[in-house]
């Protein structure tokens, strides 16, 4: 087969195809933007190491997921994808001022998601006794403060 045959191809009958591991993670914000923009999409799970390595070699310039196929493009880097989808759907603001406000909101959502997932992973790894530790409480306070600040931006 050709090089193109070896690449993962977009799903039929949808506007976009999102590739990510099973479960939640940094692709959540992308899913939210796809939904907010009323963009039909399919999700394809990268469920095996072999598939990930194949994609990393041929389609992932930074060796990371997620990747979004849309408009003939293969987009990587989650925040770049979020910004592209916002602009494509006219959700990025009308002025430079609006755009930076949208970027600040998107980055805050990313920070809160990262903190939440870090807490979850640490608790799974270290057990529920971690809930009582000061490190967990510090991360939780950080997430709460970011959400409070986000509410002021919106």
């Amino acid at each position: 087969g050709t090089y193109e045959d070896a690449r993962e191809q977009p799903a039929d009958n949808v506007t976009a195809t999102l590739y990510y591991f099973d479960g939640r993670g940094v692709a959540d914000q992308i899913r939210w933007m796809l939904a907010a923009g009323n963009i039909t999409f399919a999700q394809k799970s990268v469920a095996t190491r072999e598939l990930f390595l194949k994609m990393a070699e041929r389609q992932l310039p930074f060796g990371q997921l997620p990747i979004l196929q849309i408009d003939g493009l293969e987009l990587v880097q989650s925040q770049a994808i979020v910004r592209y989808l916002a602009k494509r759907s006219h959700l990025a603001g009308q002025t430079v001022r609006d755009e930076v406000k949208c970027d600040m909101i998107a980055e805050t959502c990313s920070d809160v998601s990262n903190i939440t997932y870090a807490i979850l992973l640490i608790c799974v790894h270290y057990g529920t006794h971690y809930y009582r530790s000061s490190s967990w409480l510090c991360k939780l306070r950080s997430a709460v403060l970011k959400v409070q600040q986000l509410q002021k931006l919106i």
Side-chain angles (χ1 to χ4, degrees):
T2 66
Y3 179 77
E4 196 60 35
D5 292 337
R7 300 169 73 81
E8 289 299 308
Q9 298 300 309
D12 293 328
N13 302 318
V14 293
T15 304
T17 303
L18 176 64
Y19 295 85
Y20 195 61
F21 304 108
D22 282 333
R24 306 181 73 82
V26 295
D28 281 347
Q29 251 187 305
I30 296 167
R31 291 182 193 105
W32 299 336
M33 283 306 302
L34 288 162
N38 293 315
I39 300 169
T40 59
F41 71 101
Q43 298 182 88
K44 289 191 176 182
S45 175
V46 180
T48 66
R49 177 175 169 74
E50 292 75 24
L51 177 56
F52 174 77
L53 292 175
K54 175 186 149 195
M55 290 181 73
E57 181 182 319
R58 295 176 174 91
Q59 290 175 275
L60 304 174
F62 305 111
Q64 299 172 284
L65 291 171
I67 182 172
L68 182 71
Q69 295 170 324
I70 187 169
D71 301 332
L73 302 169
E74 291 187 334
L75 305 175
V76 296
Q77 296 294 65
S78 58
Q79 291 308 296
I81 296 169
V82 166
R83 284 190 291 276
Y84 177 84
L85 293 171
K87 289 176 184 177
R88 185 185 189 278
S89 301
H90 307 288
L91 298 172
Q94 299 293 320
T95 66
V96 173
R97 238 186 163 138
D98 291 343
E99 285 181 21
V100 76
K101 188 174 178 181
C102 290
D103 282 346
M104 291 187 316
I105 291 167
E107 290 293 335
T108 302
C109 289
S110 176
D111 288 349
V112 171
S113 291
N114 290 340
I115 291 167
T116 303
Y117 295 125
I119 292 169
L120 176 64
L121 291 173
I122 290 169
C123 289
V124 166
H125 182 73
Y126 292 108
T128 55
H129 66 278
Y130 187 76
Y131 284 116
R132 294 185 292 278
S133 77
S134 61
S135 179
W136 180 85
L137 291 173
C138 182
K139 287 185 186 313
L140 185 60
R141 276 190 212 106
S142 175
V144 168
L145 288 173
K146 286 183 180 283
V147 169
Q148 289 171 341
Q149 291 302 320
L150 180 62
Q151 288 173 334
K152 291 177 185 176
L153 282 175
I154 298 172

